[in-house]
Amino acid sequence: MRIGFIGLGIMGKPMAKNLLAADFDVTVFDLNTAAIQELAALGAKPAMSPAETAEGQDVIFTMLPAHPHVEAVLFGENGVAEAVKQGAIVVDMSSISPVYSKQFAAQLAEKGVHFIDAPVSGGEPKAIDGTLAIMAGGQPDIYEKAYPALEAMGGQIILVGDTGSGTTAKLANQIMVNVNIAAMSEALVLAAKAGIDVEKMYQAIRGGLAGSAVLDAKVPLILERNFVAGGRIDINAKDLTNVLDTGSALGVSLPLSGQVLEMYEEMKAEGKGADDHGGLVQHYEKLAGVKVQKEVNAK
């Protein structure tokens, strides 16, 4: 299987590395030439454009920030659609609205090209170790053809349904992750303001019903004041915007998602959009006049 991979950011770069580690023939492209060179040093073939990345490939992966980037890479000048061969599979692993997934699938189908929407969850750590949760939408036979490559990047890979099902599942995932982060932040700030040892509180509750993957992933970083992004606030704000747009189209009220989005927008305005979404705790800290940190909590 010959693979093209477009988008070598926080998530895409380790994902492409895992494809190389699984001995796939991989051609890569990104606007960041340093990222291309890093992958080339590991055996990837460098490309100068999305079109060059797609030429002759069996499967083309895209891992990009938002739908305008995906659209430009697929259908813009020197885009994938200009060079992709008939019968190839485009797998978009970006987090976008299912509206666009269905649109892109229809446009590619006119060229005899298949499409799968396959967004991921797990953040940078799981992208690095190749255990991402991958939720896919598309035709079962096409999904089966792409599965060996997906397996190199994911630990749990599920075909949820038809085109758009994967991106819809990711929207649901983002509601749960980001609302969970907000609830966790409220709890941590309450404990810090009360003056108890937050690290010990975390150890006490993590094995109970309040325990979660979010809790275990984010609390240790918060206690160390490490807000280096595994999942950026601005990207998650984009995802929650897609959530609310989809909810509006379906007539579904999503008040908690709306509240978290408002907090993210405030943090973006404060210049913290590139922080990890666990950094949302800083919003609550500002309101409470307290800092959540290891051992000593400053009031």
Side-chain angles (χ1 to χ4, degrees):
M1 185 186 298
R2 296 186 59 191
I3 293 173
F5 200 104
I6 301 170
L8 305 174
I10 291 174
M11 299 291 288
K13 185 163 66 173
M15 291 163 71
K17 286 181 178 180
N18 284 327
L19 288 168
L20 289 168
D23 293 327
F24 284 103
D25 182 319
V26 184
T27 300
V28 297
F29 175 75
D30 193 277
L31 293 178
N32 180 353
T33 55
I36 295 177
Q37 291 166 3
E38 183 178 343
L39 270 293
L42 296 174
K45 297 173 183 176
M48 298 299 292
S49 68
E52 186 179 338
T53 310
E55 190 171 1
Q57 311 299 346
D58 302 303
V59 182
I60 300 95
F61 289 98
T62 53
M63 186 61 175
L64 299 160
H67 81 264
H69 306 95
V70 180
E71 185 168 28
V73 158
L74 294 181
F75 306 108
E77 186 177 357
N78 292 318
V80 168
E82 292 184 9
V84 64
K85 69 181 182 182
Q86 193 169 23
I89 305 169
V90 171
V91 182
D92 179 36
M93 307 190 82
S94 316
S95 295
I96 64 174
S97 165
V99 171
Y100 294 108
S101 296
K102 292 175 182 178
Q103 175 187 317
F104 299 154
Q107 288 176 265
L108 288 169
E110 294 176 359
K111 296 180 173 292
V113 176
H114 307 290
F115 181 88
I116 295 172
D117 49 294
V120 305
S121 181
E124 185 182 15
K126 289 187 177 293
I128 290 170
D129 65 21
T131 60
L132 288 164
I134 301 175
M135 48 218 87
Q139 299 173 15
D141 57 330
I142 304 304
Y143 165 78
E144 290 298 330
K145 289 179 181 178
Y147 186 86
L150 293 171
E151 192 174 30
M153 299 178 283
Q156 181 172 303
I157 309 159
I158 303 293
L159 179 65
V160 180
D162 293 336
T163 302
S165 297
T167 40
T168 301
K170 180 59 187 284
L171 294 183
N173 177 88
Q174 294 305 81
I175 293 173
M176 288 183 268
V177 168
N178 288 291
V179 171
N180 196 341
I181 286 174
M184 175 195 71
S185 297
E186 282 193 15
L188 294 177
V189 168
L190 174 68
K193 191 72 173 182
I196 72 171
D197 187 316
V198 177
E199 185 175 20
K200 288 182 179 177
M201 181 202 74
Y202 160 61
Q203 294 297 339
I205 69 173
R206 63 188 295 259
L209 195 58
S212 69
V214 165
L215 196 73
D216 287 338
K218 301 302 180 183
V219 171
L221 296 176
I222 290 170
L223 290 172
E224 297 291 344
R225 310 304 294 173
N226 179 359
F227 301 125
V228 176
R232 290 169 56 121
I233 282 173
D234 53 5
I235 296 297
N236 280 273
K238 176 266 299 181
D239 290 344
L240 289 181
T241 299
N242 286 335
V243 163
L244 294 178
D245 288 346
T246 302
S248 178
L250 295 173
V252 177
S253 177
L254 302 166
L256 293 178
S257 298
Q259 289 178 343
V260 177
L261 177 58
E262 286 180 11
M263 291 187 281
Y264 280 162
E265 292 296 345
E266 286 186 34
M267 295 198 71
K268 284 169 58 181
E270 294 169 1
K272 295 183 180 295
D275 281 7
D276 184 79
H277 49 170
L280 180 62
V281 72
Q282 297 167 97
H283 176 83
Y284 288 93
E285 290 174 337
K286 182 177 66 174
L287 295 175
V290 70
K291 184 176 287 187
V292 177
Q293 56 189 13
K294 202 168 185 176
E295 296 178 0
V296 177
N297 293 305
K299 293 185 179 178

